[in-house]
Amino acid sequence: MTPTPASLHPSPAEPLDVVVIGAGQAGLSAAGQLLRKGLRPWRDYVVLDGNDGPGGAWRHRWDSLTLDAAHGIHDLPGMSLNAPDPGIPASRVVSDYYGTYESELELPVIRPVHVESVANEDDETFTIRADDGRLWRTRTVINATGTWNSPYVPYYPGIAEFIGRQLHTREFTSAEEFAGQRVLVVGGGTSALQFLLQLDEAGAHTVWSTRRAPDWTDRFFDSSWGTDVEAAVSARTTLGLPPLSVVAATGLPVTDQYLTGLRSGVLISRGPLRRITSTGVVLDGPGPDGGAVPSQGPVADRLLAPGGAAAGGLERVPALPGHSVQPGQAGQAGQPDTRWETPTDTILWATGFRASLDHLSPLRLRERGGGVRMDTDGVSVTAVPGLYLVGYGASASTIGATRAGRRAAVAAVATVRAATPYL
Ligand code: FAD
């Protein structure tokens, strides 16, 4: 789909009813619902999207993230994704799907337009400043900016001194470029699991580090997993606490593929990362030389026990080929020294994302704990009437984003109609 240049759609002098920021699953769901509620595209509402084409964050995901490796993409309202070839990269499938949705509904999407700030002009109007210098005025804002633009890398001592390569999930394109390298993968989510398996297959020597035992679950993800995330996270956001990560809400399902990875040792966490040296990393846990398997959490421990469902179990962690042990730091008084250092070429931070909300900072939304206090409807920001967050926290899944988008559109239209009852 050809991008709609911002210059073709000058921002009107009168405030719009709604500006949707972001055209991922959440923003498109909201935009479709605004249409169904009778708002006129371009005249009453627009969608400003920072991408140069349809697809939201999916547009940028790595090629090996095929549809069958994803948790599942929920349909946008009123249009089925149908059953595309599961082996096709999800980035392509979803971009095409969103593009079709935009053009069939003739949604007023303008791109690429990056919103730099949203401020209150007065009690009834927001002012939105875009990176092309233009101002948009609107009565309500549906913010659907996702997380992809806010990769999170935790701080560890020595991180700035490391001379090898560091990259985040966001920059991962293909495992093949790491063949023969020693790669530390940090993070306890499904992205980390998929990277580890792909890197191993591509001939990299991997080490997995998690802060605590991985959160394996014997429950399988089905079409309701997004709803479960929603329930688990909304309890926090109504208190203004930062949202939980997806894995903290659902756990890691032991699929056949992951079970094989557990059995081979590729998916055995070697413990938490303690510090980074210029050429390696110091971990705290079983060494790379074939020690006993540390607890991987109750579900995996049961599977890995001798005679467990992992057929023969796993008694010792496999020695790590390509790694050499160096003396670690002394353990605390009376504790065995469990730290070890291993040379590392690359650190892959599969450590997640944070909500991309910087452009909302003039509205001072953040609570002390760093979260945004949400109403019980899951989309209204308690402190700022007329502002809706979708795809945030509880709705950060395609099913959650779809439902939240619809809810926010209904709420925004109700707000506008209450203020301008002649509509
Ligand atoms: P996004 O898709 O990120 O869309 C946000 C849009 O806003 C983008 O187009 C962006 O360019 C735009 N934008 C951002 N900032 C600005 C700005 N300041 N101005 C203008 N535009 C802006 N969920 C599932 O349901 N199933 C899965 O299989 C699944 N797999 C995932 C895999 C990974 C690696 C990750 C990170 C997440 C996954 N998720 C999955 C969760 C996923 O994030 C959501 O499902 C959903 O796609 C997010 O939709 P969204 O509309 O909230 O955000």
Side-chain angles (χ1 to χ4, degrees):
M1 186 192 221
T2 320
T4 308
S7 54
L8 289 183
H9 298 283
S11 45
E14 279 300 300
L16 291 159
D17 288 340
V18 189
V19 169
V20 180
I21 310 176
Q25 186 95 11
L28 292 183
S29 168
Q33 186 67 16
L34 292 172
L35 190 68
R36 275 183 286 278
K37 295 295 285 180
L39 263 56
R40 297 163 300 179
W42 308 113
R43 293 183 65 177
D44 299 331
Y45 78 103
V46 294
V47 183
L48 306 179
D49 186 45
N51 261 341
D52 57 4
W58 289 98
R59 187 172 178 83
H60 305 289
R61 290 196 177 132
W62 53 97
D63 278 358
S64 56
L65 182 58
T66 48
L67 219 51
D68 52 356
H71 294 323
I73 314 295
H74 195 70
D75 285 349
L76 283 164
M79 187 183 292
S80 169
L81 174 61
N82 293 319
D85 179 344
I88 298 180
S91 56
R92 213 180 321 145
V93 173
V94 179
S95 298
D96 288 351
Y97 176 52
Y98 288 3
T100 307
Y101 196 78
E102 290 176 14
S103 51
E104 297 233 328
L105 270 63
E106 299 185 18
L107 295 177
V109 181
I110 306 177
R111 62 164 62 96
V113 178
H114 182 81
V115 169
E116 289 179 336
S117 69
V118 179
N120 279 123
E121 183 175 299
D122 53 42
D123 281 353
E124 286 170 6
T125 316
F126 295 92
T127 309
I128 295 178
R129 181 179 294 279
D131 61 350
D132 56 5
R134 293 194 311 155
L135 287 182
W136 295 83
R137 298 171 65 238
T138 178
R139 297 187 175 93
T140 62
V141 175
I142 298 181
N143 190 80
T145 46
T147 60
W148 189 253
N149 291 342
S150 306
Y152 172 68
V153 175
Y155 171 78
Y156 283 95
I159 190 168
E161 279 76 53
F162 184 64
I163 58 171
R165 180 173 175 200
Q166 298 187 55
L167 75 163
H168 184 270
T169 299
R170 200 178 188 280
E171 289 123 20
F172 181 88
T173 49
S174 135
E176 278 65 40
E177 61 175 304
F178 302 98
Q181 288 190 21
R182 297 161 298 194
V183 183
L184 177 78
V185 178
V186 187
T190 44
S191 304
L193 302 182
Q194 291 180 14
F195 291 149
L196 285 158
L197 293 175
Q198 288 175 29
L199 287 163
D200 181 62
E201 200 181 324
H205 307 295
T206 60
V207 174
W208 186 23
S209 171
T210 57
R211 270 184 304 176
R212 56 189 83 87
D215 194 9
W216 291 105
T217 171
D218 40 19
R219 212 205 106 178
F220 279 83
F221 286 173
D222 49 25
S223 54
S224 68
W225 79 273
T227 329
D228 295 346
V229 174
E230 205 168 341
V233 182
S234 60
R236 289 176 62 84
T237 49
T238 48
L239 295 172
L241 296 168
L244 284 174
S245 67
V246 169
V247 70
T250 63
L252 302 166
V254 190
T255 61
D256 289 348
Q257 189 195 23
Y258 295 156
L259 187 56
T260 306
L262 274 165
R263 271 204 307 239
S264 71
V266 173
L267 297 186
I268 295 292
S269 169
R270 306 285 176 145
L273 175 60
R274 293 299 183 206
R275 69 188 166 85
I276 300 171
T277 68
S278 61
T279 54
V281 295
V282 175
L283 290 147
D284 195 351
D289 49 358
V293 182
S295 173
Q296 300 290 300
V299 170
D301 288 353
R302 210 169 49 244
L303 292 169
L304 293 172
L314 182 72
E315 282 179 39
R316 312 192 74 71
V317 287
L320 295 171
H323 289 76
S324 65
V325 193
Q326 297 176 10
Q329 288 188 338
Q332 295 187 338
Q335 299 291 314
D337 179 3
T338 55
R339 296 187 176 194
W340 48 281
E341 180 174 345
T342 183
T344 301
D345 301 306
T346 296
I347 303 174
L348 173 50
W349 298 102
T351 39
F353 296 82
R354 298 289 184 259
S356 301
L357 299 179
D358 285 357
H359 55 292
L360 301 180
S361 55
L363 299 172
R364 299 177 181 279
L365 304 180
R366 299 274 189 193
E367 299 281 320
R368 271 209 183 149
V372 177
R373 190 181 293 268
M374 304 293 291
D375 277 359
T376 47
D377 68 359
V379 294
S380 304
V381 176
T382 308
V384 185
L387 174 65
Y388 307 92
L389 299 190
V390 293
Y392 173 75
S395 58
S397 66
T398 50
I399 185 170
T402 307
R403 290 151 45 126
R406 271 198 310 245
R407 253 191 335 264
V410 170
V413 170
T415 300
V416 169
R417 292 200 169 138
T420 48
Y422 55 86
L423 277 177

